């Protein structure tokens, strides 16, 4: 039967020669596939950054949505404004006031999560090859956006107070001397994802001074600003400067991510371009979601709810700190987050977080290798641990398992010497290697 | 289709806790769809603590394991099905145990007269006991470069690397040990990559047309396997008829020597003089959109649905308990 069969000659994708250059990096990744295992209850996942909405009062939300449909359904289910509904833009200004940002609803544009804000900003500002400055490490979702617009990401070093001012100055000077166009610098000043650090006020002032001097735009991404564990929030960059800073906000962490409602606060001219870009992208952001969020804000003590979230995350942060202190081997260090979801762990020299992930999965614990947060392939000596989702007991158990894995890695290192390739030799695979948004 | 028109419920098992969970879920969806297209009632199930009670509720059903890696392919789950008298598609546990371990399978296949790469299987402790530097040097001297380093029990090319220089060997070893405690180090065989599926639809095993694999990147790694477009497949492979026959023959002999049942896929390298060299065999071959077996089935003029239905029918007719004689052949 082997003869006379018609030969198939196929790459199993009939469209393969038609994709744009920007789709070329969209490939399967073994590391990313491992996160499928992290979904299983046997695994303690310290990988995903899913907000923990267990404490949301579903009855309150349910009643508000019911009322919404019954009383305002025809408007809520209709097309709306490209800029976003007026009522929610007013409410957004009220939310921002909690962090000392004063803004007019006209300067706010609603987005499909702050993720879309990043997308639209990059769309209106960046040509292929333009440079975007990012922290080292930076938010994986932002790196994905910058990559998809074919920007070049240049990372700027951080210290335990966030972005390092000297490194920023040097990077700007070096890039400009090389004739490169730097379009903006993207920063997460509070409770950084993934680094878990926060810029103190004087650092913020210094960074803004540098940006002004260099006439560089700052994109401030602040989804966690209200989730600080101690004291009052540190003023966002936007509250200190309103012409060099474009601000991204989100209800994903203070309410719920499923509505996909975030916003951009931008200088007037930029906002106008953004609205046109938004109309081209979606016609208008989801009207029903905006009405739903507004109804929630009006019918529920959302400030009290944020306090509840904050305490819940604080308890988990404490568990993470306790677990790491008990179970991490010598030579390991980590950041001590004052808010948000994440801890950045640095491993003893020679241990590669990327290479050891399969073993961790076998030991039923998951994390995101540091390489996901770099556009240039660095980061293998680090990992991101998130404490937002598992219970405190599970977090501690997770650190225990991780400690065992690291011990094993140390033994391997002892046997094989510095088996790890030099960091610079690695292929830049970063952003695809983080878990997808649906994975814990 | 069952003789009296009665179709058993099929429990398609996919997922599990292995490193290939994601691949398995994709394979499972495809097999489930294929069976549904033939009129079967399909229950898709993960492997978890509720599996056995689920199977008890669905008594009379046939299990179709589409699990890759560990528990799915090492035979452990199949031993449980056997014990419980649940009919299932595919090879019995003891045969899987031998087939899944690359080093053990290679030994058995070599003894059956098929060429295999020169290889050693080493747990990491051996490196500690003998000293890694000395052992790495000895491996280089004996096997030469390039060489292949693989976890002995894993699929989808996870943890595999081609090592071209001595300095790369330690990192490759660490990469393989990340997936399991034993690594296989073997000579690299230059040649054409082909894979041959063997299917037994109740009238004895036959080999499907060989699939030739030409990854665009040159390496058939995880990305090349599961990104549509990243690999060119030719089926039947562009081979002289006698070479094609010797590939088919090798795959059938592998299937027989290991006492495999229903379905297997043997990966071969064809040397420049047309000799097939055994690389590994899969008792639960990938069934994803980018997998070779569905392509071979299509080329042969069958449909995936028909083939899966035939396998279910055979399993159902066989019933639950493996007869001890066959089991002992598998355990050889
Ligand atoms: C720093 C940062 N920016 C943006 C986002 C995206 O959030 P949204 O749900 O608003 O799109 C996240 C979510 O994890 C984040 O951590």
């Amino acid at each position: 039967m082997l003869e006379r069969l018609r030969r198939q000659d196929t790459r199993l994708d009939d469209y393969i020669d038609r994709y744009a250059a920007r789709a070329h990096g969209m490939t399967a990744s073994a590391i990313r596939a491992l996160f499928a295992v992290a979904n299983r209850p046997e695994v303690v996942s310290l990988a995903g950054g899913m907000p923990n909405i267990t404490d949301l009062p579903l009855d309150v939300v349910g009643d508000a949505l019911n009322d919404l449909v019954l009383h305002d359904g025809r408007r809520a289910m209709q097309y709306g404004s490209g800029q976003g509904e007026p009522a929610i833009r007013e409410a957004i200004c009220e939310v921002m006031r909690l962090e000392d940002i004063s803004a007019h609803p006209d300067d706010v544009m609603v987005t499909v999560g702050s993720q879309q804000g990043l997308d639209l900003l990059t769309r209106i500002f960046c040509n292929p090859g333009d440079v975007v400055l990012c922290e080292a490490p930076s938010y994986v979702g932002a790196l994905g956006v910058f990559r998809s617009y074919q920007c070049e990401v240049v990372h700027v070093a951080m210290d335990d107070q966030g972005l390092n001012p000297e490194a920023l100055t040097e990077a700007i000077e070096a890039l400009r001397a090389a004739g490169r166009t730097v379009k903006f610098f993207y920063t997460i000043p509070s409770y950084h994802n993934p680094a878990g650090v926060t810029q103190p006020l004087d650092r913020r002032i210094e960074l803004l001074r540098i940006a002004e001097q260099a006439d560089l735009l700052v994109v401030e991404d602040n989804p966690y600003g209200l989730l600080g564990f101690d004291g009052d929030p540190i003023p966002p960059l936007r509250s200190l400067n309103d012409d060099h800073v474009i601000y991204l906000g989100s209800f994903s962490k203070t309410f719920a991510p499923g509505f996909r409602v975030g916003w951009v606060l931008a200088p007037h001219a930029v906002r106008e371009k953004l609205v046109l870009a938004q109309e081209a992208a979606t016609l208008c952001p989801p009207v029903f979601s905006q009405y739903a969020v507004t109804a929630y804000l009006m019918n529920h003590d959302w400030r009290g709810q944020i306090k509840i979230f904050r305490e819940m995350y604080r308890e988990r942060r404490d568990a993470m700190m306790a677990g790491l202190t008990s179970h991490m081997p010598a030579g390991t260090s980590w950041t001590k987050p004052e808010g948000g979801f994440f801890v950045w762990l640095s491993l003893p020299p020679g241990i590669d977080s990327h290479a050891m992930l399969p073993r961790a999965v076998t030991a039923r614990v998951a994390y995101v290798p540091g390489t996901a947060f770099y556009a240039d392939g660095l980061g293998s000596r680090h990992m991101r641990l998130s404490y937002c989702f598992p219970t405190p007991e599970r977090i501690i158990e997770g650190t225990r398992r991780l400690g065992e894995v690291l011990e094993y890695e140390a033994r391997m290192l002892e046997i094989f010497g510095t088996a790890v390739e030099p960091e610079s030799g690695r292929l830049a695979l970063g952003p695809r290697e983080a878990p997808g948004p649906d994975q814990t | 289709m069952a003789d009296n028109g009665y179709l058993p419920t099929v429990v398609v098992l996919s997922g599990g806790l292995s490193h290939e969970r994601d691949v398995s879920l994709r394979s499972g969806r495809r097999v489930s769809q294929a069976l549904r297209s033939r009129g079967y009632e399909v229950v898709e199930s993960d492997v978890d603590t509720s599996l056995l009670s689920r199977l008890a509720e669905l008594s009379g059903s046939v299990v179709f394991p589409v699990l890759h890696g560990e528990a799915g392919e090492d035979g452990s789950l199949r031993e449980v099905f056997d014990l419980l008298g649940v009919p299932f598609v595919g090879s019995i546990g003891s045969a899987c145990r031998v087939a899944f371990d690359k080093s053990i399978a290679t030994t058995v296949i070599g003894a059956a007269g098929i060429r295999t790469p020169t290889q050693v299987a080493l747990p990491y402790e051996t490196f500690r006991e003998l000293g890694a530097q000395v052992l790495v040097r000895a491996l280089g001297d004996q096997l030469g470069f390039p060489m292949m380093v693989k976890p002995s029990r894993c699929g989808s090319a996870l943890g595999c690397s081609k090592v071209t220089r001595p300095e790369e060997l330690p990192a490759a070893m660490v990469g393989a040990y990340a997936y399991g405690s034993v690594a296989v180090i073997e000579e690299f065989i230059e040649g054409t990559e082909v894979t041959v599926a063997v299917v037994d639809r109740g009238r004895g095993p036959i080999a499907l047309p060989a699939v030739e694999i030409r990854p665009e990147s040159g390496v058939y790694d995880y990305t090349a396997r599961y990104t549509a477009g990243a690999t060119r497949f030719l089926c039947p492979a562009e081979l002289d008829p006698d070479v094609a026959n010797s590939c088919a023959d090798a795959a059938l002999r592998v299937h027989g020597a290991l006492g495999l049942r229903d379905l297997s896929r043997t990966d071969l390298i064809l040397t420049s003089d047309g000799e097939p060299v055994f690389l590994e065999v899969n008792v639960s071959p990938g069934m994803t959109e980018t997998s070779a077996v569905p392509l071979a089935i299509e080329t042969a003029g069958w449909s995936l649905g028909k083939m899966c239905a035939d396998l279910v029918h055979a399993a159902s007719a066989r019933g639950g308990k493996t007869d001890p004689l066959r089991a002992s052949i598998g355990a050889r």
Side-chain angles (χ1 to χ4, degrees):
Chain A
M1 67 164 284
L2 294 186
E3 297 88 38
R4 289 201 316 279
L5 292 174
R6 216 168 66 86
R7 170 163 299 123
Q8 303 204 55
D9 180 348
T10 172
R11 288 163 75 187
L12 296 175
D13 181 351
D14 294 341
Y15 313 95
I16 189 69
D17 296 319
R18 306 176 204 213
Y19 297 116
R22 72 182 80 91
H24 288 171
M26 297 175 175
T27 55
S29 146
I31 286 291
R32 185 164 178 154
L34 284 180
F35 292 116
V37 187
N39 274 341
R40 287 272 306 230
E42 296 87 340
V43 178
V44 178
S45 179
L46 307 174
M50 281 217 310
N52 191 328
I53 54 173
T54 317
D55 290 335
L56 263 188
L58 296 185
D59 50 345
V60 174
V61 180
D63 287 348
L65 289 184
N66 193 42
D67 274 3
L68 168 60
V69 172
L70 293 181
H71 298 121
D72 231 354
R74 290 208 172 75
R75 275 197 298 162
M77 289 187 270
Q78 190 48 274
Y79 285 118
S81 147
Q83 186 175 357
E85 298 307 297
I88 196 168
R89 286 189 282 114
E90 265 177 44
I92 285 168
C93 289
E94 201 181 321
V95 172
M96 289 193 292
R97 262 198 291 282
L98 287 183
E99 291 188 84
D100 277 345
I101 294 176
S102 55
H104 193 275
D106 281 355
D107 294 326
V108 172
M109 183 186 77
V110 179
T111 54
V112 182
S114 53
Q115 188 68 23
Q116 198 212 6
L118 278 167
D119 186 278
L120 294 178
L121 279 172
T122 314
R123 185 180 305 197
I124 66 167
F125 280 115
C126 295
N127 294 312
D130 282 350
V131 173
V132 174
L133 292 172
C134 291
E135 283 138 342
S138 187
Y139 166 53
V140 59
L143 297 180
V145 170
F146 302 147
R147 169 197 284 250
S148 74
Y149 285 100
Q150 296 161 288
C151 302
E152 187 186 329
V153 168
V154 173
H155 288 284
V156 181
M158 299 173 84
D159 54 33
D160 57 3
Q161 304 200 333
L163 193 71
N164 181 303
E166 287 90 59
L168 177 62
T169 309
E170 275 169 30
I172 297 170
E173 282 170 4
L175 286 161
R176 290 199 171 150
R180 303 299 305 272
T181 307
V182 184
K183 278 297 167 62
F184 54 79
F185 109 67
Y186 166 74
T187 177
I188 306 152
S190 293
Y191 322 126
H192 193 273
N193 176 5
V197 298
T198 295
Q199 295 165 10
L201 182 59
D202 52 351
R203 176 64 62 91
R204 294 181 191 218
I205 292 170
E206 174 70 0
L207 294 174
L208 283 171
R209 193 188 55 73
I210 295 169
E212 270 175 51
Q213 218 162 41
D215 194 21
L216 188 65
L217 266 185
V218 180
V219 173
E220 174 178 37
D221 191 4
N222 189 33
Y224 306 101
L226 292 173
L227 296 177
F229 305 139
D230 315 286
D232 289 331
I234 301 172
L237 300 173
R238 172 57 177 72
S239 72
L240 306 168
N241 178 317
D242 54 14
D243 56 358
H244 278 86
V245 180
I246 297 174
Y247 179 90
L248 297 171
S250 175
F251 287 107
S252 291
K253 326 287 164 161
T254 52
F255 173 27
F259 293 100
R260 309 303 301 124
V261 176
W263 66 90
V264 185
L265 170 63
H268 200 74
V270 176
R271 196 268 296 148
E272 292 213 326
K273 288 268 190 295
L274 281 173
V275 172
L276 292 174
Q278 176 67 288
E279 286 170 359
T282 65
L283 300 182
C284 61
V287 178
F288 191 81
S289 276
Q290 296 176 64
Y291 271 78
V293 173
T294 311
Y296 167 80
L297 295 173
M298 301 213 318
N299 289 292
H300 186 53
D301 173 17
W302 56 273
R303 289 181 186 80
Q305 186 66 46
I306 291 176
K307 281 201 190 104
I308 294 172
F309 282 144
R310 216 184 274 161
E311 289 314 307
M312 183 260 309
Y313 290 128
R314 181 215 298 279
E315 191 192 352
R316 283 164 169 73
R317 187 271 319 254
D318 291 345
M320 176 66 89
M321 294 293 114
L324 291 174
T325 306
S326 313
H327 298 300
M328 286 302 106
T332 317
S333 61
W334 54 91
T335 54
K336 321 233 162 6
E338 290 156 16
F341 293 1
F342 307 106
V343 174
W344 187 244
L345 190 81
S346 302
L347 302 171
I351 294 186
D352 182 334
S353 68
H354 187 274
M356 74 178 234
L357 185 62
R359 178 183 320 290
V361 166
T362 307
R364 308 283 174 255
V365 59
Y367 58 83
V368 183
T371 42
F373 308 98
Y374 285 81
D376 53 15
L378 299 184
S380 63
R381 267 198 58 202
H382 306 272
M383 63 175 67
R384 187 190 77 179
L385 300 177
S386 58
Y387 49 79
C388 48
F389 210 78
T391 61
E393 298 72 36
R394 294 275 289 169
I395 290 170
I396 292 184
E397 170 61 13
T399 60
R400 192 191 63 74
R401 294 179 191 178
L402 187 61
E404 285 182 3
V405 176
L406 286 171
E407 251 171 55
Y408 187 97
E409 289 302 305
R411 275 207 299 282
M412 299 297 281
L413 189 66
E414 216 176 276
I415 297 171
F416 292 104
T418 42
V420 180
E421 303 155 55
E423 286 221 320
S424 55
R426 191 184 289 282
L427 222 58
L429 291 175
R432 290 182 293 104
E433 302 191 338
D438 60 326
Q439 290 169 334
T440 56
Chain B
M1 203 163 289
D3 303 327
N4 56 4
Y6 161 78
L7 298 183
T9 298
V10 184
V11 180
V12 171
L13 284 185
S14 65
L17 272 165
S18 91
H19 296 114
E20 292 169 88
R21 174 180 173 81
D22 193 47
V23 179
S24 166
L25 289 171
R26 290 199 240 173
S27 291
R29 278 195 292 271
R30 186 139 186 227
V31 167
S32 301
Q33 241 171 19
L35 283 167
R36 286 195 182 106
S37 77
R38 306 294 298 187
Y40 280 87
E41 177 94 31
V42 174
V43 176
E44 293 178 59
S45 171
D46 206 331
V47 180
D48 53 29
T49 47
S50 53
L51 175 61
L52 295 186
S53 53
R54 200 170 303 135
L55 289 179
E57 276 165 30
L58 293 166
S59 82
S61 60
V62 171
V63 170
F64 199 136
V66 196
L67 295 157
H68 309 318
E70 286 120 71
E73 286 189 276
D74 71 3
S76 44
L77 263 176
R78 297 166 195 235
E79 304 241 292
V80 173
F81 299 146
D82 222 11
L83 185 76
L84 300 178
V86 176
F88 61 94
V89 170
S91 300
I92 60 172
S94 51
C96 291
R97 199 156 51 233
V98 173
F100 184 54
D101 189 303
K102 291 191 184 74
S103 72
I104 301 175
T106 303
T107 312
V108 176
I109 298 308
I114 296 166
R115 184 172 156 197
T116 58
T118 309
Q119 69 171 210
V120 277
L122 299 171
Y124 79 91
E125 290 92 345
T126 312
F127 284 88
R128 184 165 54 185
E129 284 155 13
L130 302 181
Q133 282 196 340
V134 194
L135 194 46
V136 161
R137 200 170 326 119
L139 288 168
D141 290 347
Q142 294 307 309
L143 296 171
F145 292 95
M147 60 173 77
M148 288 302 297
V149 176
K150 310 168 174 178
S152 71
R153 294 154 54 91
C154 200
S156 291
L158 293 170
C160 297
S161 24
K162 179 179 171 185
V163 175
T164 51
R165 291 174 300 139
E167 312 83 272
E168 296 167 357
L169 190 54
M173 299 303 310
V174 173
Y177 287 130
Y179 286 93
S181 58
V182 179
V184 167
I185 305 115
E186 65 185 25
E187 65 172 315
F188 176 79
I189 310 239
E190 192 73 54
T192 307
E193 247 180 301
V194 297
T195 188
V196 183
V198 170
V199 183
D200 183 346
R201 301 161 84 190
R203 288 179 294 277
I206 57 166
L208 294 184
V211 180
E212 183 176 338
I213 294 159
R214 296 188 191 166
E216 296 286 311
S217 66
V219 187
Y220 195 43
D221 57 8
Y222 189 91
T223 302
R225 280 165 201 252
Y226 301 112
T227 306
T231 296
R232 187 173 158 207
F233 296 91
L234 294 132
C235 186
E238 256 177 344
L239 307 172
D240 289 342
D242 50 336
V243 176
N245 281 333
S246 63
C247 289
D249 179 56
L252 287 166
R253 280 160 67 199
V254 167
H255 193 87
L258 293 168
L260 302 182
R261 192 170 75 176
D262 295 344
L263 175 67
S264 70
R265 195 197 75 214
T266 294
D267 298 346
L268 302 163
I269 290 278
L270 275 174
T271 61
S272 52
D273 47 10
E275 184 182 17
V277 182
F278 170 82
L279 288 185
E280 64 177 273
V281 61
N282 298 273
V283 294
S284 183
M287 294 289 191
T288 70
E289 304 295 334
T290 58
S291 296
V293 170
L295 186 68
I297 289 168
E298 201 182 291
T299 307
W302 308 351
S303 77
L304 184 60
K306 178 75 172 82
M307 188 206 71
C308 292
D310 287 348
L311 295 182
V312 167
H313 176 60
S316 173
R318 209 159 44 214
K321 294 269 186 193
T322 305
D323 81 63
L325 184 65
R326 254 203 85 98
S328 71
I329 295 171
R332 254 197 327 213

